[in-house]
Amino acid sequence: MKRDATMDLDTLLSVCLGVGLAAACGFRVFVPLLVTSLAAQTGHLALAGGFHWVGTRPALIAFAVATVLEVLAYYVPWIDNLLDVLAGPAAVVAGIVITASVVTDVDPLLHWGLAVIAGGGAAAATQGVTTLARHLSSWATLGVGNHLLATAEAGGSLVLSALAIVAPLVAVLVLSAAGFAVLAVLVVRPWRRPAT
């Protein structure tokens, strides 16, 4: 009984880890992959079977180069909006892969179901919010405010990735609170009456 409880806790933590990393992919696709690869290389993270390649030196180098290029590209005016179109599907795929790479000791059907639904869904939700924020920023500031948004997104991806690895439950709680806040803004705003 005690062993089952430990296995359940380990599974819960690995799912929370995967969801946290996948949500971070919605901010920046490659930052969480780089953090995951680095954590695996240094022995701070165990990867699921078939995903050991994520922790290899070639993968680490590839993720580092891709991260630098992605972060810098978001500082180019109007290119950032184009990147959002490309990053949407890429973030979902990265969310699925990163979740599948860290969820361990579960049935293969559940493993991939969690990766697709929880991982892909978390990445898509975060990417949707950031795309909307960039669209509004581009419209309201003619793109001038997008540099600040790009910095916040890159920082958010890095912090959320690190938090997911260090404290997966806390990362999911932070994501839940942020999700409820965004939902509240979207629901309450249309009902707010204009001042007369």
Side-chain angles (χ1 to χ4, degrees), residues 17-41:
L17 170 62
V19 169
L21 290 170
C25 287
F27 288 118
R28 286 292 173 271
V29 173
F30 292 105
V31 169
L33 290 166
L34 175 62
V35 170
T36 301
S37 184
L38 189 59
Q41 277 253 321

Side-chain angles (χ1 to χ4, degrees), residues 40-86:
Q41 277 253 321
T42 58
H44 291 91
L45 182 65
L47 299 170
F51 288 94
H52 298 291
W53 61 270
V54 173
T56 63
R57 189 172 303 268
L60 180 65
I61 293 168
F63 292 145
V65 170
T67 297
V68 169
L69 292 175
E70 180 185 28
V71 168
L72 291 178
Y74 269 96
Y75 287 101
V76 179
W78 303 107
I79 296 295
D80 54 354
N81 290 295
L82 176 62
L83 285 175
D84 275 340
V85 173
L86 301 173

